[in-house]
Amino acid sequence: MKYDFHVLLCSRRMTIELRHFRCFLAIADTLSVTRAAERLHLSQPAVSRALRQLEQETGTRLADRSTHHLALTPEGRAFRVRAEAAVTAFDDALAHTRPAPRPLLLGHAWSAAGPYTTPLLRRWHERHPGTALELRRIDDRTAGLLRGDVDAALLRGDLQDEGLLADLLGTEPRVAALPADDPLARRRSLILADLAGRTLALNTVSGVTTPDQWPADARPAGTVPITNTDDWLAAIAAGRCFGVTSSATADMHPHHGVRYVPLRGAPAVPVHLVRRAGPGHPAVPDLVALAHEVFGERP
């Protein structure tokens, strides 16, 4: 089903506003009314009401929800793509009215550029002193890029979103994250099979490791769903589970209760610099060129 956003936004009754789209996108990103409300600094009833109003206006059920579960319907997934485009277009229109130069906002969900983060920021400041480059950590699958919160984003893993342009900067080896007192934490290296039968800390928002990466007969016994790096580290340090991540996490997030152990034979994690297709911040091409330069050097 296709939606005419001009009609939705400009109908005589004005029952649907941009805030409805933002509420829906926060729900779609977090798959939780509670976490969406926290992200938007709204009450849970306000977010639930916005979703109901949007469904009533479109005449379409956008999400299946129960007490313990929320998932987008096929119509909701299709609507999400168009809602992201509508919100991005609105934010871009406002951005072009602001005095230039404005800061260049670079999003990331975790670990930024790993060991390349400081060289990238320092070199940008030296070469482009008139335009500030500001990092934004946003717990979101595109680090706020599709919502228009940032101008570009450092993203890991495979990308499947339409309307995004990605430059592959490099790859990072995977490491296991284990409680510091775990016997396996004393090993010099591990393979995925060494972790079979244990509980995996699964970042459901922006993670790059799933149980499917283990052999079918040697997978983790279960998963603990987690939505951000801080909670991921806390759960591992507490001994509830183990994690698998890229080496950048070990560089950027040392933790006294967690030990990182190299994983042999595990697929490397690709790192992309991503921006939206179409007009954007005029300094984004300079950032792309500099990121390739920095990642091409030894950190």
Side-chain angles (χ1 to χ4, degrees), residues 196-208:
R198 293 170 167 242
T199 300
L200 172 67
L202 188 66
N203 187 324
T204 58
V205 174
S206 59
V208 295

PDB file of all heavy atoms in Angstrom, residues 196-208:
ATOM      1  N   ALA A 196      30.079 -22.484  22.192  1.00  0.00           N
ATOM      2  CA  ALA A 196      28.804 -23.177  22.017  1.00  0.00           C
ATOM      3  C   ALA A 196      28.237 -23.590  23.371  1.00  0.00           C
ATOM      4  O   ALA A 196      28.972 -23.912  24.305  1.00  0.00           O
ATOM      5  CB  ALA A 196      28.993 -24.407  21.136  1.00  0.00           C
ATOM      6  N   GLY A 197      26.906 -23.555  23.471  1.00  0.00           N
ATOM      7  CA  GLY A 197      26.237 -23.969  24.700  1.00  0.00           C
ATOM      8  C   GLY A 197      26.154 -22.895  25.755  1.00  0.00           C
ATOM      9  O   GLY A 197      25.544 -23.107  26.813  1.00  0.00           O
ATOM     10  N   ARG A 198      26.730 -21.732  25.502  1.00  0.00           N
ATOM     11  CA  ARG A 198      26.657 -20.612  26.434  1.00  0.00           C
ATOM     12  C   ARG A 198      25.565 -19.633  26.006  1.00  0.00           C
ATOM     13  O   ARG A 198      24.970 -19.779  24.944  1.00  0.00           O
ATOM     14  CB  ARG A 198      28.008 -19.889  26.504  1.00  0.00           C
ATOM     15  CG  ARG A 198      29.117 -20.733  27.127  1.00  0.00           C
ATOM     16  CD  ARG A 198      30.467 -20.083  26.952  1.00  0.00           C
ATOM     17  NE  ARG A 198      31.486 -20.711  27.787  1.00  0.00           N
ATOM     18  CZ  ARG A 198      32.164 -20.086  28.750  1.00  0.00           C
ATOM     19  NH1 ARG A 198      31.939 -18.801  28.988  1.00  0.00           N
ATOM     20  NH2 ARG A 198      33.065 -20.735  29.469  1.00  0.00           N
ATOM     21  N   THR A 199      25.346 -18.600  26.815  1.00  0.00           N
ATOM     22  CA  THR A 199      24.325 -17.599  26.523  1.00  0.00           C
ATOM     23  C   THR A 199      24.980 -16.376  25.894  1.00  0.00           C
ATOM     24  O   THR A 199      25.934 -15.825  26.444  1.00  0.00           O
ATOM     25  CB  THR A 199      23.579 -17.191  27.805  1.00  0.00           C
ATOM     26  OG1 THR A 199      22.961 -18.355  28.368  1.00  0.00           O
ATOM     27  CG2 THR A 199      22.505 -16.159  27.499  1.00  0.00           C
ATOM     28  N   LEU A 200      24.455 -15.976  24.760  1.00  0.00           N
ATOM     29  CA  LEU A 200      25.026 -14.869  23.979  1.00  0.00           C
ATOM     30  C   LEU A 200      24.311 -13.558  24.288  1.00  0.00           C
ATOM     31  O   LEU A 200      23.078 -13.486  24.253  1.00  0.00           O
ATOM     32  CB  LEU A 200      24.892 -15.180  22.482  1.00  0.00           C
ATOM     33  CG  LEU A 200      25.264 -14.067  21.494  1.00  0.00           C
ATOM     34  CD1 LEU A 200      26.759 -13.769  21.560  1.00  0.00           C
ATOM     35  CD2 LEU A 200      24.856 -14.460  20.077  1.00  0.00           C
ATOM     36  N   ALA A 201      25.076 -12.512  24.595  1.00  0.00           N
ATOM     37  CA  ALA A 201      24.515 -11.164  24.719  1.00  0.00           C
ATOM     38  C   ALA A 201      24.273 -10.626  23.312  1.00  0.00           C
ATOM     39  O   ALA A 201      25.222 -10.432  22.555  1.00  0.00           O
ATOM     40  CB  ALA A 201      25.481 -10.259  25.483  1.00  0.00           C
ATOM     41  N   LEU A 202      23.016 -10.382  22.973  1.00  0.00           N
ATOM     42  CA  LEU A 202      22.632 -10.044  21.605  1.00  0.00           C
ATOM     43  C   LEU A 202      22.162  -8.600  21.540  1.00  0.00           C
ATOM     44  O   LEU A 202      21.126  -8.247  22.106  1.00  0.00           O
ATOM     45  CB  LEU A 202      21.513 -10.990  21.136  1.00  0.00           C
ATOM     46  CG  LEU A 202      21.103 -10.916  19.677  1.00  0.00           C
ATOM     47  CD1 LEU A 202      22.244 -11.373  18.772  1.00  0.00           C
ATOM     48  CD2 LEU A 202      19.869 -11.775  19.442  1.00  0.00           C
ATOM     49  N   ASN A 203      22.947  -7.752  20.862  1.00  0.00           N
ATOM     50  CA  ASN A 203      22.537  -6.361  20.660  1.00  0.00           C
ATOM     51  C   ASN A 203      21.496  -6.333  19.545  1.00  0.00           C
ATOM     52  O   ASN A 203      21.818  -6.502  18.372  1.00  0.00           O
ATOM     53  CB  ASN A 203      23.741  -5.501  20.295  1.00  0.00           C
ATOM     54  CG  ASN A 203      23.399  -4.021  20.230  1.00  0.00           C
ATOM     55  OD1 ASN A 203      22.311  -3.639  19.816  1.00  0.00           O
ATOM     56  ND2 ASN A 203      24.332  -3.174  20.639  1.00  0.00           N
ATOM     57  N   THR A 204      20.240  -6.129  19.923  1.00  0.00           N
ATOM     58  CA  THR A 204      19.144  -6.210  18.961  1.00  0.00           C
ATOM     59  C   THR A 204      18.966  -4.937  18.151  1.00  0.00           C
ATOM     60  O   THR A 204      18.169  -4.919  17.208  1.00  0.00           O
ATOM     61  CB  THR A 204      17.823  -6.518  19.686  1.00  0.00           C
ATOM     62  OG1 THR A 204      17.566  -5.495  20.666  1.00  0.00           O
ATOM     63  CG2 THR A 204      17.891  -7.868  20.383  1.00  0.00           C
ATOM     64  N   VAL A 205      19.667  -3.868  18.502  1.00  0.00           N
ATOM     65  CA  VAL A 205      19.513  -2.593  17.792  1.00  0.00           C
ATOM     66  C   VAL A 205      20.576  -2.430  16.717  1.00  0.00           C
ATOM     67  O   VAL A 205      20.274  -2.143  15.559  1.00  0.00           O
ATOM     68  CB  VAL A 205      19.559  -1.410  18.779  1.00  0.00           C
ATOM     69  CG1 VAL A 205      19.542  -0.081  18.026  1.00  0.00           C
ATOM     70  CG2 VAL A 205      18.373  -1.482  19.742  1.00  0.00           C
ATOM     71  N   SER A 206      21.840  -2.625  17.073  1.00  0.00           N
ATOM     72  CA  SER A 206      22.907  -2.336  16.114  1.00  0.00           C
ATOM     73  C   SER A 206      24.004  -3.396  16.108  1.00  0.00           C
ATOM     74  O   SER A 206      25.076  -3.165  15.564  1.00  0.00           O
ATOM     75  CB  SER A 206      23.529  -0.972  16.429  1.00  0.00           C
ATOM     76  OG  SER A 206      24.059  -0.959  17.752  1.00  0.00           O
ATOM     77  N   GLY A 207      23.751  -4.550  16.694  1.00  0.00           N
ATOM     78  CA  GLY A 207      24.776  -5.578  16.764  1.00  0.00           C
ATOM     79  C   GLY A 207      25.048  -6.236  15.419  1.00  0.00           C
ATOM     80  O   GLY A 207      24.244  -6.152  14.488  1.00  0.00           O
ATOM     81  N   VAL A 208      26.194  -6.904  15.323  1.00  0.00           N
ATOM     82  CA  VAL A 208      26.600  -7.548  14.059  1.00  0.00           C
ATOM     83  C   VAL A 208      26.822  -9.042  14.230  1.00  0.00           C
ATOM     84  O   VAL A 208      27.308  -9.703  13.314  1.00  0.00           O
ATOM     85  CB  VAL A 208      27.885  -6.891  13.507  1.00  0.00           C
ATOM     86  CG1 VAL A 208      27.624  -5.450  13.119  1.00  0.00           C
ATOM     87  CG2 VAL A 208      29.037  -6.977  14.517  1.00  0.00           C
TER      88      VAL A 208
END
